[in-house]
Amino acid sequence: MIDMLLAGWASSPWALAALFLLVVGDAFLVVIPGEAAVTAFAALAVSVGTPPISGVVAVAAMAAFAGDALCYVVGRTVGLHRWAWMRGRRAQSAFAWSRARLDRSTAAIVFTARFIPFARLAVNLTAGASRVHAPRYLAIAAVAATGWAAYQSVVGVVVAWVVPGGTAAAMLVSVAVALALGLALDMLLSRRVRRGGGRDAAAG
């Protein structure tokens, strides 16, 4: 019954629109599971045959780029101190870490951060506030968004192939895998940010 409901929803013309909104929202609110949504839709594409996997990748890539570009614009117009959460210790450490890496290697940090929810928010805001050259930055962000969309979709496809039990089981496992990978990467980067902040403070 659940598999039939999921199949009907997947064939809805609103399915990819929902994916687009989730991924764009994830650019601003890290509690929105953008990664999980992409892997779940990819699992649906394999299990049900709709929406097409090419559509999932394309919509996810466009939405990811749109979200990153909007964050860049917010950073450029608002800065990094306007709202209370920006002035918190964790946010300021992430902004300082992002600024140092953007100065050294823009492409490397944009690609790395695209796969880590809070990091990509910090990097995009910092890039805008630091007035990193917009055409070059957005071109890199577009390539990174496409790579991210393809990667998350591959995770969903592999899960759908490997996990028995139908559409619902494949979706649940793909969501769990996506969340676990995102959490692990976020924890790893948070550790690096703290270490980098400590070294910067010692140098100062």
Side-chain angles (χ1 to χ4, degrees), residues 3-146:
D3 283 356
M4 290 178 62
L5 290 173
L6 288 172
W9 183 75
S11 62
S12 165
W14 296 104
L16 289 177
L19 175 62
F20 186 91
L21 291 176
L22 284 169
V23 174
V24 170
D26 179 51
F28 296 91
L29 298 172
V30 296
V31 295
I32 296 177
E35 285 87 355
V38 179
T39 57
F41 271 82
L44 268 178
V46 172
S47 301
V48 180
T50 185
I53 189 64
S54 58
V56 172
V57 175
V59 169
M62 288 187 292
F65 172 70
D68 291 349
L70 287 171
C71 283
Y72 175 91
V73 172
V74 169
R76 197 170 181 114
T77 56
V78 170
L80 301 177
H81 296 87
R82 175 71 61 86
W83 297 304
W85 71 267
M86 289 179 164
R87 298 190 290 271
R89 183 175 180 180
R90 186 190 180 199
Q92 285 299 310
S93 294
F95 294 149
W97 182 88
S98 300
R99 186 177 293 109
R101 271 68 187 176
L102 283 166
D103 289 341
R104 295 175 197 169
S105 179
T106 302
I109 190 57
V110 170
F111 270 85
T112 301
R114 173 95 284 284
F115 291 83
I116 308 168
F118 187 74
R120 65 174 169 257
L121 173 62
V123 168
N124 288 319
L125 289 172
T126 303
S130 303
R131 297 191 175 273
V132 174
H133 188 56
R136 179 172 178 267
Y137 184 81
L138 294 177
I140 294 171
V143 176
T146 303

